Amino acid sequence: MALPKGLAAFPITPCDRHGRVDAVALRRLVARLRSAGVDAVGLLGSTGTFMYLTREQRRTALEVAVDEIAGAAPLMVGVGALRTDDAVELARDATSIGASCGLLAPVSYTPLTEDEAFEHYSTVAREGGLPLCIYDNPGTTHFRFSPELIARLSQVPGIVGVKSPSGLSGETVAHLGDLRARVPAGFSLGYSGDWNVLAPMIAGADVWHSVLGGLLPGICLRIVRAAQNHDEAEARRLDTALGPVWELFRTYSSLRVVYAMAEILGIARAAPPRPILPLSDTARSHVADVIGRLPSELVV
Amino acid sequence: MALPKGLAAFPITPCDRHGRVDAVALRRLVARLRSAGVDAVGLLGSTGTFMYLTREQRRTALEVAVDEIAGAAPLMVGVGALRTDDAVELARDATSIGASCGLLAPVSYTPLTEDEAFEHYSTVAREGGLPLCIYDNPGTTHFRFSPELIARLSQVPGIVGVKSPSGLSGETVAHLGDLRARVPAGFSLGYSGDWNVLAPMIAGADVWHSVLGGLLPGICLRIVRAAQNHDEAEARRLDTALGPVWELFRTYSSLRVVYAMAEILGIARAAPPRPILPLSDTARSHVADVIGRLPSELVV
């Protein structure tokens, strides 16, 4: 299975204060993504707080999403866990419930060596029964994937792509070119970090793994389609118009901001799992002010 | 409750490959610590792989240790978890089973703000029923405690000390002096990082939170007693003699080395939880060689 190209939209996972999934709210979020026609739904990513939910609740979230999507888009789901055997079980759950692909972050407490990460990924790929996308997110996992390790993992049967962090545009475009030369044809090279993703998308990256796309899929799809159609001017115009949102993400973190945005826009009312706190009243007002000033074509 | 002064010895938690505690092996390790007369046993620290064990297995380990120590030394136990409510439950388990103190690391996936860490600690201190020692370990948690945050937390009822990382001797001694001026009398200031701990201990730190002490409590106690008795020359002599062990810790990580040492010395035969791998055969031979050359007065 190759990963789809385009927009992978990562919603929050609305839960109560005990970490129980709010199925109604999650279904509403996923329905928005289906209706918008996203290229993939990214359930239980970092924005979906996968590491804060039990296996049981992760199953519940997946069942709700699979049911709501009903085959209209591929579903990628976070299967990361601290223990290798737990990640295998999560991948098996995802396989049996009907996910298309697992997103595996090298979550660690004890910092991992490259060989340990390689064994971890190989084991989950071999035993989980699910195509895997490597989740390279040093901001949360503090693990650094070398291009050599990505290349080595891209040879493992069942590992089909990587979601890399984006940064300065020149560096990210160079990173994309470097990886492209090292991995097999069809291996998906995608990027996260919404405010820096335009450059690699214009340069031909396969997927934008998007936090904003989980809440506002319409505008993110327009940017992706413009990039895919080589309409760089339109893609830049829309991305620039979203600048105030990217500034909020940089200031308060995308996770905390999308929780506030979901509530401000009346899409979902939920708090992130403690110890993560909702934004302060001041920050929330700032978010509301920015959202209120956005042209309406962007808030879709 | 004030924390005891001296050596807090942190054993590994021997488990099978499914993460089930080997009660016989753990009992043997704890018995060594009790017999040696350590000042505290530090169960389920980073060396005790607390983040890789279920709540049930953490309960089992604690029950075994409490039973074996039988009140001969205070028992400090890791209660860290990604979710605040889970950390509260772990602290309550520890209270009911009979631990003396909880060791709370700000484990995170999403990077935490200082206010989030403060709320996390305050909640566990208030609801867990157990005195808490702050576990400052940026090498695993990637959270940085400012001296201001430690000072703020030291005012919270039930937070009784901090286990800080040690580094360059001058900086660590300055850190100790800085914290001492900010926290109430009796607030425990201890250090981890075996190979750098001598300087703060000589400078009057309260506790050496020790990885090697969990396996070789005798020699570590001699160092601590020499430091406590202001016999700096003897403390330095013994610490210097352990230099080859510290070099192994720096090279391969203390966690992986103590697993190999435990097996080489016939004390416990266990592998760390996957994805953490045992040392390679080459590295293991290196460890065996170093241990074999140590003077026998050190291997106790």
Side-chain angles (χ1 to χ4, degrees):
Chain A
M1 176 253 183
L3 282 172
K5 292 180 190 245
L7 180 71
F10 285 78
I12 61 171
T13 311
C15 290
D16 71 10
R17 56 191 288 268
H18 303 292
R20 286 179 300 226
V21 172
D22 177 343
V24 173
L26 178 60
R27 188 176 286 278
R28 196 160 53 229
L29 280 161
V30 173
R32 283 176 61 84
L33 307 182
R34 179 181 43 70
S35 304
V38 300
D39 301 298
V41 172
L43 196 76
L44 295 171
S46 295
T47 301
T49 60
F50 72 101
M51 277 304 287
Y52 298 89
L53 300 180
T54 62
R55 179 178 175 190
E56 182 192 359
Q57 292 301 319
R58 288 164 78 162
R59 285 185 65 100
T60 298
L62 191 50
E63 284 162 358
V64 168
V66 165
D67 185 65
E68 181 60 34
I69 297 169
L75 199 154
M76 182 184 314
V77 60
V79 297
L82 280 159
R83 292 180 61 93
T84 301
D85 49 10
D86 287 340
V88 168
E89 290 302 318
L90 290 164
R92 287 177 178 166
D93 285 352
T95 305
S96 69
I97 295 170
S100 310
C101 175
L103 182 63
L104 182 60
V107 185
S108 63
Y109 177 78
T110 302
L112 299 179
T113 66
E114 286 214 343
D115 282 345
E116 288 169 342
F118 182 83
E119 285 300 318
H120 182 66
Y121 276 86
S122 303
T123 303
V124 179
R126 187 174 62 244
E127 300 182 8
L130 192 69
L132 288 183
C133 179
I134 298 164
Y135 190 179
D136 181 0
N137 189 358
T140 56
T141 65
H142 305 280
F143 184 84
R144 304 265 164 193
F145 282 90
S146 65
E148 292 76 16
L149 180 57
I150 300 282
R152 204 175 150 207
L153 286 167
S154 75
Q155 302 297 327
V156 174
I159 299 184
V160 298
V162 59
K163 169 184 189 295
S164 299
S166 54
L168 296 175
S169 61
E171 287 173 17
T172 307
V173 169
H175 178 264
L176 171 64
D178 182 28
L179 288 189
R180 193 68 86 194
R182 293 172 184 266
V183 300
F187 190 85
S188 174
L189 299 178
Y191 286 85
S192 61
D194 284 356
W195 53 94
N196 288 320
V197 150
L198 187 65
M201 288 309 290
I202 286 174
D206 299 305
V207 187
W208 175 14
H209 298 274
S210 176
V211 174
L212 188 66
L215 194 65
L216 300 179
I219 180 61
C220 296
L221 272 169
R222 284 181 60 196
I223 295 176
V224 165
R225 296 292 176 254
Q228 288 175 323
N229 295 329
H230 309 290
D231 187 350
E232 188 175 327
E234 174 70 354
R236 285 198 188 282
R237 181 183 76 79
L238 295 170
D239 180 69
T240 301
L242 285 173
V245 176
W246 305 150
E247 182 61 28
L248 292 173
F249 281 14
R250 279 193 296 263
T251 304
Y252 302 115
S253 83
S254 58
L255 176 69
R256 294 172 184 85
V257 171
V258 288
Y259 269 93
M261 284 178 65
E263 189 178 330
I264 290 163
L265 294 169
I267 296 169
R269 188 184 180 86
R274 298 239 170 175
I276 308 165
L277 295 174
L279 289 183
S280 69
D281 289 347
T282 310
R284 199 180 167 288
S285 297
H286 183 193
V287 173
D289 186 55
V290 167
I291 302 304
R293 289 164 190 267
L294 284 179
S296 59
E297 70 160 341
L298 302 183
V299 191
V300 289
Chain B
M1 178 255 181
L3 284 172
K5 293 182 189 241
L7 181 71
F10 284 78
I12 61 172
T13 310
C15 289
D16 70 11
R17 56 191 287 269
H18 303 292
R20 287 178 299 226
V21 172
D22 178 343
V24 174
L26 178 60
R27 189 176 285 278
R28 196 161 53 231
L29 279 161
V30 172
R32 283 175 60 83
L33 306 182
R34 179 181 43 70
S35 304
V38 300
D39 301 299
V41 172
L43 197 75
L44 294 170
S46 296
T47 302
T49 60
F50 71 100
M51 277 304 287
Y52 298 90
L53 300 181
T54 62
R55 179 178 174 190
E56 182 192 0
Q57 293 301 320
R58 288 163 78 161
R59 285 186 64 99
T60 299
L62 190 50
E63 285 162 357
V64 167
V66 165
D67 185 64
E68 181 59 34
I69 296 170
L75 198 154
M76 182 184 314
V77 61
V79 296
L82 280 159
R83 290 181 62 94
T84 301
D85 49 10
D86 286 341
V88 168
E89 290 303 318
L90 290 164
R92 287 178 177 165
D93 285 353
T95 304
S96 69
I97 295 171
S100 310
C101 176
L103 182 64
L104 183 59
V107 186
S108 62
Y109 177 76
T110 303
L112 300 179
T113 66
E114 286 215 344
D115 282 345
E116 288 169 341
F118 183 82
E119 284 301 318
H120 183 65
Y121 277 85
S122 302
T123 303
V124 180
R126 189 173 59 245
E127 299 181 8
L130 192 69
L132 288 184
C133 180
I134 299 163
Y135 190 0
D136 181 1
N137 190 358
T140 56
T141 66
H142 306 279
F143 183 84
R144 302 267 164 191
F145 281 90
S146 65
E148 292 75 16
L149 180 57
I150 300 283
R152 203 175 150 207
L153 287 168
S154 75
Q155 301 296 328
V156 174
I159 299 185
V160 298
V162 59
K163 170 184 190 293
S164 300
S166 54
L168 295 175
S169 61
E171 288 173 16
T172 307
V173 169
H175 178 264
L176 171 64
D178 182 27
L179 288 189
R180 192 68 87 193
R182 293 172 184 266
V183 301
F187 190 85
S188 175
L189 299 178
Y191 286 85
S192 61
D194 285 356
W195 53 94
N196 288 321
V197 149
L198 186 65
M201 289 308 289
I202 286 173
D206 298 306
V207 186
W208 175 13
H209 298 273
S210 176
V211 174
L212 188 65
L215 195 65
L216 300 178
I219 179 61
C220 296
L221 272 170
R222 283 180 62 196
I223 295 175
V224 165
R225 296 291 176 255
Q228 288 175 321
N229 295 328
H230 308 291
D231 187 352
E232 189 176 327
E234 174 70 355
R236 286 198 188 283
R237 181 183 76 79
L238 295 170
D239 180 70
T240 301
L242 285 172
V245 176
W246 306 150
E247 182 62 27
L248 292 173
F249 280 15
R250 280 193 296 263
T251 304
Y252 303 115
S253 82
S254 57
L255 177 69
R256 296 173 184 83
V257 171
V258 288
Y259 269 92
M261 283 178 65
E263 189 178 331
I264 290 163
L265 294 169
I267 297 170
R269 190 183 178 89
R274 298 240 171 176
I276 309 165
L277 295 175
L279 290 182
S280 69
D281 289 347
T282 310
R284 198 180 167 287
S285 296
H286 183 192
V287 172
D289 186 53
V290 166
I291 302 302
R293 289 164 191 266
L294 285 179
S296 59
E297 68 159 343
L298 302 183
V299 191
V300 289

